């Protein structure tokens, strides 16, 4: 007789966010339009969860049971650490940003060990894994209630805001997508205030019509 393992699934809609504590005490923050699948009780040899979208993890140390986050074709393996994973399907990348500790990022034929302040970018189509040094605040500030952008493309900024505010974005001039902006935006502000903030540059103009 084999006991079937029981799983929970948490699905966060656009415009939502959620924080939960797993059975082992690991804390997870889930961003908008994300999905986490995890066992009711972790196995004796490992702690494995599946993430779609974006999540920040504070993993409780357990030397006998590595914590593994699977996002598409990529596994992020840790013992105890803090890190962020962005794995939205439309980005065609899995981005792992390490805040504390050590993680090993594993693809089918690639593997990298990250140190704090490093970020691994796995490109789904090419199966390439690149590592770079980053300001981790740019990738983790969402869980603390604000967004930080540094020389980021307007299209990427608006994609982030679209998930959080549950809106659709259209461009009258596609060239505007490649403009770059730097700034900090309060996550719980009204979207009209955020758009006015961007309009202060006198470069772009927004029209808000429902969603």
């Amino acid at each position: 007789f084999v006991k079937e393992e029981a799983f929970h699934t948490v699905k966060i809609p656009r415009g939502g966010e959620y924080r939960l504590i797993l059975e082992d005490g690991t804390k997870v923050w889930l961003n908008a339009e994300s999905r986490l699948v995890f066992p009711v009780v972790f196995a004796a040899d490992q702690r494995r969860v599946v993430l779609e979208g974006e999540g920040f993890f504070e993993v409780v140390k357990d030397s006998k049971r590595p914590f593994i986050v699977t996002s598409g074709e990529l596994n992020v393996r840790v013992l105890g650490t803090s890190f962020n994973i962005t794995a939205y399907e439309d980005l065609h990348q899995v981005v792992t940003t390490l805040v504390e500790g050590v993680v090993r990022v594993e693809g089918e034929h690639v593997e990298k060990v990250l140190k704090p302040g490093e970020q691994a970018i796995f490109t789904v189509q090419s199966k390439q894994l690149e590592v770079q040094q980053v300001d981790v605040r740019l990738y983790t500030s969402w869980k603390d209630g604000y967004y930080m952008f540094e020389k980021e493309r307007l299209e990427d900024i608006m994609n982030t805001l679209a998930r959080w505010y549950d809106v659709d974005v259209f461009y009258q001039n596609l060239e505007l997508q490649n403009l770059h902006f730097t700034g900090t935006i309060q996550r719980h502000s009204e979207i009209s205030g955020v758009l006015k903030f961007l309009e202060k540059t006198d470069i772009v103009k927004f029209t808000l019509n429902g969603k």
Side-chain angles (χ1 to χ4, degrees), residues 106-207:
E106 306 167 340
E108 186 176 352
H109 300 294
V110 291
E111 182 179 306
K112 298 284 187 180
V113 175
L114 300 186
K115 295 178 292 186
E118 289 185 334
Q119 179 183 81
I121 302 174
F122 177 75
T123 303
V124 175
Q125 185 174 5
S126 67
K127 314 299 183 188
Q128 296 295 310
L129 185 63
E130 299 180 359
V131 175
Q132 61 183 6
Q133 197 80 25
V134 297
D135 181 348
V136 297
R137 296 175 303 167
L138 298 172
Y139 303 92
T140 63
S141 60
W142 63 269
K143 78 176 183 66
D144 298 317
Y146 61 98
Y147 286 117
M148 288 183 66
F149 303 110
E150 185 175 304
K151 298 178 181 177
E152 188 157 347
R153 294 173 65 248
L154 180 62
E155 183 182 21
D156 295 330
I157 293 174
M158 296 310 298
N159 285 343
T160 297
L161 297 180
R163 288 190 181 94
W164 177 237
Y165 290 105
D166 189 17
V167 296
D168 296 314
V169 182
F170 302 93
Y171 299 85
Q172 289 186 333
N173 180 357
L174 293 179
E175 293 181 1
L176 297 176
Q177 294 176 332
N178 292 315
L179 293 176
H180 290 75
F181 291 83
T182 296
T184 300
I185 297 172
Q186 291 294 324
R187 187 169 158 90
H188 294 281
S189 303
E190 294 290 334
I191 189 172
S192 56
V194 173
L195 299 181
K196 287 179 181 178
F197 174 78
L198 292 172
E199 285 182 336
K200 288 182 178 180
T201 61
D202 291 328
I203 302 174
V204 291
K205 177 74 174 177
F206 295 94
T207 301

Side-chain angles (χ1 to χ4, degrees), residues 64-108:
K64 296 181 179 179
R65 295 189 301 171
F67 192 95
I68 303 168
V69 181
T70 298
S71 292
E73 302 176 28
L74 202 71
N75 290 322
V76 178
R77 183 184 298 265
V78 307
L79 292 177
T81 190
S82 300
F83 60 98
N84 194 85
I85 297 180
T86 306
Y88 288 111
E89 188 175 353
D90 60 340
L91 296 180
H92 308 296
Q93 292 180 327
V94 179
V95 181
T96 306
T97 308
L98 181 61
V99 178
E100 293 179 348
V102 178
V103 302
R104 187 164 71 235
V105 181
E106 306 167 340
E108 186 176 352

